[in-house]
Amino acid sequence: MGSGNGAEQNKHLEGKKMLQIYDLMILGGGAAGLSAGVYSARKLLKTCIIAKEIGGQVLLTSGVENYMGFEFISGPELIQKFEDQLNQFPIEQILGERVERLTRQGEKFLAITEQGKEVLAKSVVVATGKRSRELGATGEKGFAGRGVSYCATCDGPFFKDMPVAVIGGGNSAFETAMDMLKLCPVVYLVNIMDKWQADEILQERVLSDPKLKPMLKSKVKEIKGDDKVRSMVVETKQGDKELEVKGVFVEVGMIPNSEFAKGFLELNSQGEIIVDCHCRTSVAGVFGAGDVTTVPEKQIIISAGEGAKAVLSAYRWLIANQKI
Amino acid sequence: MAILDEKVKKQVKEEFKKLKEPVKLIVFSQEVECAYCKETRELLSELAELGELILLEVYDFEKAKEKVERYKIERIPAIVVLAGEEDFGFRYYGVPSGYEFSTLLNVIIMASKRESGLNLKVKEELKKIQNQLELKIFVIPTCPHCPKAAISASRFAFENRNLKVSIIEASEYPYLAQRYGVMGTPKVVINEMMGFEGALPEPLFIQHLLHAQEHLLEKPGMPVGRA
């Protein structure tokens, strides 16, 4: 199942309007956002963090051996340390919600969350990272946690002895298929492209297993079931096929969480926020950090560093423009 | 053969430098050890050797009736962590391996510091829970999101003694996973009745607890949602 899908699960939570004006609002709670929070607090900026979850992609990293100060640490442990460090400071945190819109309001910036909270700030650091791409198939959202999974290591064991499908053609799809082949009688591997993108060695191992049913040029149209997934409709060159599966593991890559900034900040063709080496975006006063930006190399240490850099740039901008 | 290798032992020793006060670990096993009992007992014994402030007690689930009753142990292997002698309602059912090893370390350190580590705002929110709530957190060792849910719940229990938390290794207890409809982890079940999936941020997690409390007051004994 993975991390919480706050909005769906928290409809009983009433949205509240926040009318304070912050010096800086940080969007995102991964390595870049948390590091930005600490730097902002240490500059005594009145700060608010808005994040869907704390941890981001770092949570999915099993072992980290290249973050300085730790010979080995798991992703969740590292994030726990980041969070504990952030919690030393009096920073407003709005958690469990995504920002839906970011705009200018007079000389300030206004963020509106999915539950309707409004946050005003003099400057912004966008560090919203990336998320697993969804298929966009009918029924997909409704069956999340009931057969549709975006975290095979979290949910895989619950599908032992059941037919499952893995969607995707890259390394993560093949690694998931390899894990599921150990548990399941049939594993469909469904890729929309006409060839596999995974490393050759992975392809050899997985495709040679007789329990593996490869399906190229095939698109998942619909996921069906009652309280659980029962089948999946796949569009193929030979027409639609309905396959009996109990689990659907989606491994079709990552996309930047930048939809809220479309039309406001300049994005590249992949949807990443374009930043310069000072983390400046196309809008003065809005800075970007980490995987949601065009900064090359998506690494925890780089994201944390970029988060720090973005805040220092924002701080200088606030002073230069006499905002603080 | 040792369960923890030298590299892990070194890291644990480093972490255990944070220990402040004694912590007691109680393991429930039995004479003819169950599938994961031996592993759990050995792991905890090795762990106890790495910190002077950690005391270990091992009991036989069949014979130590008084202890089983006192700590309300439902199955084995079971681990109880006490802050000195104080029971703050934390139970771990299964071997705390993989990512869950860090959950146990975190809980030991918290208990030793006698401090939940939650921020003030979260502590204030938790005060609103004035009814007994029992939380079951289903986890598996390969789930990177699980420690977040398990640690948050354990911190809540330490802060507010109305909360009792059982971390359950779902793959070791498939009948429980089936009974509670677990198809993904982490899964949180509150008072046998309602629950949610995923590692929510602490303020949102508390909102679910408050919501459960509210419904309990309205309709005591009535199921309020799909567990």
Side-chain angles (χ1 to χ4, degrees), chain B residues 26 39 41 90 105 109 136 146 152-153 161 166 174 182 185 213 219 223 226:
Chain B
I26 306 177
E39 221 173 303
R41 180 180 52 75
F90 173 87
L105 287 189
I109 292 166
K136 287 185 174 64
C146 289
S152 294
R161 301 297 154 89
S166 295
V182 182
T185 54
Q213 174 176 257
K219 295 176 185 174
R226 197 171 64 89

Tab-separated table of all heavy atoms in Angstrom, chain B residues 26 39 41 90 105 109 136 146 152-153 161 166 174 182 185 213 219 223 226:
chain	number	residue	atom	x	y	z
B	26	ILE	N	11.081	-7.917	27.531
B	26	ILE	CA	10.556	-9.221	27.942
B	26	ILE	C	10.162	-9.999	26.690
B	26	ILE	O	9.417	-9.488	25.847
B	26	ILE	CB	9.322	-9.064	28.858
B	26	ILE	CG1	9.669	-8.160	30.044
B	26	ILE	CG2	8.843	-10.428	29.345
B	26	ILE	CD1	8.510	-7.887	30.968
B	39	GLU	N	14.481	-17.417	16.978
B	39	GLU	CA	15.116	-16.265	16.331
B	39	GLU	C	14.904	-14.981	17.142
B	39	GLU	O	15.829	-14.191	17.343
B	39	GLU	CB	14.473	-16.091	14.953
B	39	GLU	CG	15.448	-15.734	13.848
B	39	GLU	CD	14.736	-15.749	12.520
B	39	GLU	OE1	14.142	-16.796	12.153
B	39	GLU	OE2	14.749	-14.707	11.866
B	41	ARG	N	14.132	-14.718	20.382
B	41	ARG	CA	14.850	-14.790	21.665
B	41	ARG	C	16.340	-14.514	21.461
B	41	ARG	O	16.947	-13.735	22.186
B	41	ARG	CB	14.631	-16.168	22.296
B	41	ARG	CG	15.321	-16.368	23.627
B	41	ARG	CD	15.065	-17.752	24.195
B	41	ARG	NE	15.346	-18.853	23.278
B	41	ARG	CZ	16.564	-19.294	22.950
B	41	ARG	NH1	17.621	-18.705	23.446
B	41	ARG	NH2	16.718	-20.313	22.115
B	90	PHE	N	3.263	-1.194	24.808
B	90	PHE	CA	3.871	-1.585	23.528
B	90	PHE	C	4.079	-3.092	23.480
B	90	PHE	O	4.678	-3.680	24.378
B	90	PHE	CB	5.217	-0.874	23.356
B	90	PHE	CG	6.000	-1.334	22.153
B	90	PHE	CD1	5.798	-0.745	20.911
B	90	PHE	CD2	6.943	-2.358	22.254
B	90	PHE	CE1	6.514	-1.173	19.798
B	90	PHE	CE2	7.664	-2.792	21.147
B	90	PHE	CZ	7.449	-2.194	19.927
B	105	LEU	N	14.592	-0.647	17.813
B	105	LEU	CA	15.668	0.205	18.360
B	105	LEU	C	15.106	1.558	18.783
B	105	LEU	O	15.421	2.080	19.848
B	105	LEU	CB	16.760	0.438	17.306
B	105	LEU	CG	17.684	-0.722	16.965
B	105	LEU	CD1	18.818	-0.224	16.069
B	105	LEU	CD2	18.279	-1.363	18.210
B	109	ILE	N	15.121	3.156	22.560
B	109	ILE	CA	15.770	4.445	22.870
B	109	ILE	C	14.753	5.423	23.471
B	109	ILE	O	15.036	6.111	24.456
B	109	ILE	CB	16.474	5.015	21.611
B	109	ILE	CG1	17.667	4.110	21.259
B	109	ILE	CG2	16.931	6.455	21.830
B	109	ILE	CD1	18.253	4.317	19.887
B	136	LYS	N	-3.714	-1.982	16.324
B	136	LYS	CA	-2.911	-3.063	15.744
B	136	LYS	C	-2.262	-2.484	14.500
B	136	LYS	O	-2.954	-1.944	13.633
B	136	LYS	CB	-3.800	-4.243	15.339
B	136	LYS	CG	-4.329	-5.046	16.500
B	136	LYS	CD	-5.102	-6.261	15.987
B	136	LYS	CE	-5.522	-7.150	17.135
B	136	LYS	NZ	-6.462	-6.504	18.065
B	146	CYS	N	6.546	0.991	6.761
B	146	CYS	CA	5.999	0.446	8.009
B	146	CYS	C	6.601	1.046	9.288
B	146	CYS	O	5.858	1.354	10.220
B	146	CYS	CB	6.127	-1.079	8.010
B	146	CYS	SG	4.996	-1.834	6.829
B	152	SER	N	5.402	5.966	15.024
B	152	SER	CA	4.444	7.008	15.437
B	152	SER	C	3.491	6.454	16.486
B	152	SER	O	3.268	7.077	17.525
B	152	SER	CB	3.628	7.507	14.242
B	152	SER	OG	4.445	8.176	13.333
B	153	ALA	N	2.929	5.271	16.218
B	153	ALA	CA	1.961	4.685	17.150
B	153	ALA	C	2.616	4.423	18.510
B	153	ALA	O	2.016	4.661	19.560
B	153	ALA	CB	1.405	3.392	16.566
B	161	ARG	N	-1.291	7.084	27.886
B	161	ARG	CA	-1.443	5.684	28.302
B	161	ARG	C	-2.840	5.121	28.026
B	161	ARG	O	-3.119	3.988	28.364
B	161	ARG	CB	-1.066	5.522	29.774
B	161	ARG	CG	0.373	5.949	30.071
B	161	ARG	CD	1.377	5.082	29.318
B	161	ARG	NE	2.635	5.740	29.055
B	161	ARG	CZ	3.689	5.755	29.847
B	161	ARG	NH1	3.657	5.132	30.976
B	161	ARG	NH2	4.789	6.394	29.500
B	166	SER	N	-0.062	-2.782	19.398
B	166	SER	CA	0.535	-4.078	19.053
B	166	SER	C	1.031	-4.009	17.614
B	166	SER	O	0.247	-3.773	16.703
B	166	SER	CB	-0.499	-5.194	19.147
B	166	SER	OG	-0.921	-5.343	20.473
B	174	PRO	N	-0.444	-15.119	9.200
B	174	PRO	CA	-1.329	-14.939	8.038
B	174	PRO	C	-2.815	-14.994	8.383
B	174	PRO	O	-3.611	-14.313	7.745
B	174	PRO	CB	-0.937	-16.100	7.115
B	174	PRO	CG	-0.088	-17.017	7.912
B	174	PRO	CD	0.478	-16.249	9.039
B	182	VAL	N	-5.894	-7.625	5.534
B	182	VAL	CA	-4.657	-6.908	5.205
B	182	VAL	C	-4.196	-7.302	3.797
B	182	VAL	O	-3.908	-8.463	3.539
B	182	VAL	CB	-3.542	-7.212	6.230
B	182	VAL	CG1	-2.276	-6.432	5.902
B	182	VAL	CG2	-4.012	-6.901	7.639
B	185	THR	N	0.685	-3.100	3.479
B	185	THR	CA	1.176	-2.605	4.767
B	185	THR	C	1.811	-1.229	4.583
B	185	THR	O	2.251	-0.915	3.480
B	185	THR	CB	2.232	-3.569	5.349
B	185	THR	OG1	3.258	-3.765	4.377
B	185	THR	CG2	1.621	-4.878	5.765
B	213	GLN	N	-12.410	7.695	18.416
B	213	GLN	CA	-12.899	7.952	19.770
B	213	GLN	C	-14.307	8.549	19.738
B	213	GLN	O	-15.186	8.134	20.480
B	213	GLN	CB	-11.944	8.916	20.475
B	213	GLN	CG	-12.422	9.363	21.844
B	213	GLN	CD	-11.409	10.236	22.543
B	213	GLN	OE1	-10.718	9.788	23.441
B	213	GLN	NE2	-11.317	11.488	22.140
B	219	LYS	N	-21.492	5.485	19.464
B	219	LYS	CA	-22.067	4.142	19.346
B	219	LYS	C	-21.123	3.113	19.948
B	219	LYS	O	-20.414	2.416	19.229
B	219	LYS	CB	-22.288	3.802	17.859
B	219	LYS	CG	-23.304	4.685	17.181
B	219	LYS	CD	-23.370	4.329	15.716
B	219	LYS	CE	-24.285	5.283	14.977
B	219	LYS	NZ	-24.277	5.088	13.541
B	223	PRO	N	-19.530	-1.464	15.140
B	223	PRO	CA	-18.479	-1.274	14.143
B	223	PRO	C	-18.726	0.029	13.381
B	223	PRO	O	-19.867	0.331	13.063
B	223	PRO	CB	-18.640	-2.481	13.209
B	223	PRO	CG	-19.493	-3.443	13.939
B	223	PRO	CD	-20.339	-2.658	14.864
B	226	ARG	N	-14.890	-0.229	7.792
B	226	ARG	CA	-14.237	-1.447	7.328
B	226	ARG	C	-12.853	-1.549	7.963
B	226	ARG	O	-12.051	-0.625	7.838
B	226	ARG	CB	-14.094	-1.373	5.807
B	226	ARG	CG	-13.822	-2.696	5.157
B	226	ARG	CD	-13.933	-2.487	3.666
B	226	ARG	NE	-12.895	-1.574	3.198
B	226	ARG	CZ	-11.715	-1.965	2.811
B	226	ARG	NH1	-11.386	-3.220	2.839
B	226	ARG	NH2	-10.841	-1.088	2.360
